[in-house]
Amino acid sequence: MSIFSRKKRDSETIKLGAKLITVAKPQSPVSEQFRTIRTNIKFMSVDRKINSLAFTSANMTEGKSTVTANVAITYAQAGLKTLLIDSDLRRPTVHSTFEVNNSKGLTTILTSDKKEISLDDIVKPSGVENLSVLTSGPVPPNPSELIGSKRMRDLVTQLKDKYDMVVIDMPPVLEVSDTQELAGYLDGIVLVVRQGVTQKPAIKRTVELLKIAKANILGYVMNDVSAKNGGYGYGYGYGYGYGYGYGQKKKHFWERLKK
Ligand SMILES: Nc1ncnc2c1ncn2[C@@H]1O[C@H](COP(=O)(O)OP(=O)(O)OP(=O)(O)O)[C@@H](O)[C@H]1O
Ligand SMILES: [Mg+2]
């Protein structure tokens, strides 16, 4: 059984928003996998409290927005005051996912002339208890510069004080260079890898760039794991890599890349 139609992959989320299975079917195995991702993120960061977290990928349409929105929901469902930020100004989706107005958003804050700007009418309730959203706002001609700006970093610092968890949907590393600037500033980064789509050299390069940026790479989410490859057979599976490759003679590719 496949929940999604793969043919429409390119535009579906952009127009209709990400599928929120954690809201629609919180008891389903897929929602359980999203909760497992949340738990594993915690285990991967015992020495450092993760208060700001971003999901990114090598290239586009690997599942970032779907994973980011659903993981943010699992934090909110666990009782954490959570904020989901759409920093993918190239292909923003959070406003469609949560059906909120996008006339003001992240770009409104980042391009404002005022030193202090009230977040109250820009950050919106998502409809999910404990979860607020900061949508992209109108997309300017220089989107990546804004995401890599000091102002963006200052904003994240400010928001970390107000929320228990700030979760960011980031543009793909290989396509938007300024992603790295922000990545190095956050408590943790998780890579979304699409099974059978993301090429290993692309993952390798992405990890290299994130390491140069001094990003704290926590691991990866393997999206779209098919039954054939050991997933759950929904055509929608998530695995979370610790990078240890338990019981394997050959080291897992993630283990090799992280070195
Ligand atoms: N596990 C999955 N199984 C089937 N389809 C999926 C899966 N994950 C995501 N999709 C579909 O793939 C498309 C891309 O997903 P999504 O928008 O979440 O990725 P993205 O990396 O944010 O893309 P973009 O580069 O456009 O920001 C969407 O149509 C989504 O519904
Ligand atoms: Mg996206």
Side-chain angles (χ1 to χ4, degrees):
M1 179 180 83
S2 181
I3 296 176
F4 296 110
S5 156
R6 284 175 175 240
K7 283 190 196 119
K8 291 181 195 157
R9 180 190 290 177
D10 278 350
S11 55
E12 196 184 48
T13 327
I14 307 278
K15 285 193 198 132
L16 304 174
K19 299 265 165 65
L20 301 181
I21 191 150
T22 43
V23 172
K25 293 184 182 171
Q27 301 311 327
S28 67
V30 174
S31 296
E32 186 53 39
Q33 288 170 37
F34 281 117
R35 287 191 286 276
T36 304
I37 292 170
R38 181 191 70 203
T39 309
N40 286 341
I41 288 171
K42 196 172 171 189
F43 286 149
M44 287 302 288
S45 50
V46 275
D47 295 335
R48 180 171 173 180
K49 193 170 176 275
I50 301 289
N51 186 208
S52 59
L53 172 73
F55 289 85
T56 189
S57 59
N59 305 112
M60 59 183 189
T61 63
E62 297 186 328
K64 288 177 302 301
S65 298
T66 307
V67 172
T68 312
N70 280 287
V71 173
I73 288 167
T74 68
Y75 280 112
Q77 287 171 337
L80 269 68
K81 195 179 169 208
T82 307
L83 176 68
L84 170 62
I85 303 180
D86 197 346
S87 81
D88 192 348
L89 303 181
R90 202 184 37 100
R91 289 158 79 94
T93 51
V94 171
H95 59 286
S96 314
T97 302
F98 293 92
E99 295 177 5
V100 293
N101 186 301
N102 194 28
S103 58
K104 282 183 185 172
L106 180 60
T107 57
T108 318
I109 304 170
L110 298 179
T111 56
S112 164
D113 293 334
K114 292 185 205 150
K115 261 198 162 171
E116 294 277 315
I117 179 162
S118 163
L119 299 176
D120 294 346
D121 60 336
I122 302 183
V123 172
K124 301 174 189 83
S126 69
V128 175
E129 199 181 348
N130 293 326
L131 180 68
S132 301
V133 289
L134 176 54
T135 60
S136 66
V139 178
N142 57 339
S144 68
E145 273 170 41
L146 289 181
I147 298 308
S149 67
K150 179 172 181 305
R151 201 151 189 193
M152 176 71 190
R153 299 197 288 273
D154 291 346
L155 177 67
V156 173
T157 308
Q158 186 188 341
L159 292 168
K160 274 174 66 168
D161 277 347
K162 289 188 79 172
Y163 293 88
D164 301 322
M165 182 57 88
V166 175
V167 183
I168 304 176
D169 185 351
M170 280 213 322
V173 172
L174 298 186
E175 287 178 37
V176 181
S177 56
D178 288 23
T179 301
Q180 298 156 50
E181 303 237 9
L182 179 62
Y185 194 75
L186 303 172
D187 297 330
I189 296 283
V190 177
L191 269 188
V192 177
V193 175
R194 194 158 189 155
Q195 170 112 41
V197 174
T198 318
Q199 302 286 313
K200 279 186 193 170
I203 307 172
K204 191 166 183 255
R205 182 72 189 133
T206 304
V207 171
E208 272 167 17
L209 290 172
L210 289 172
K211 278 201 233 167
I212 292 168
K214 302 209 173 355
N216 181 24
I217 311 171
L218 298 172
Y220 68 94
V221 172
M222 185 68 82
N223 182 26
D224 210 357
V225 180
S226 66
K228 181 169 100 240
N229 292 309
Y232 290 77
Y234 297 101
Y236 195 104
Y238 289 86
Y240 193 84
Y242 299 91
Y244 295 117
Y246 290 114
Q248 289 177 355
K249 278 193 191 134
K250 216 173 147 192
K251 276 190 181 160
H252 192 276
F253 79 92
W254 181 256
E255 171 84 335
R256 294 191 302 256
L257 283 179
K258 282 268 284 177
K259 284 228 164 117

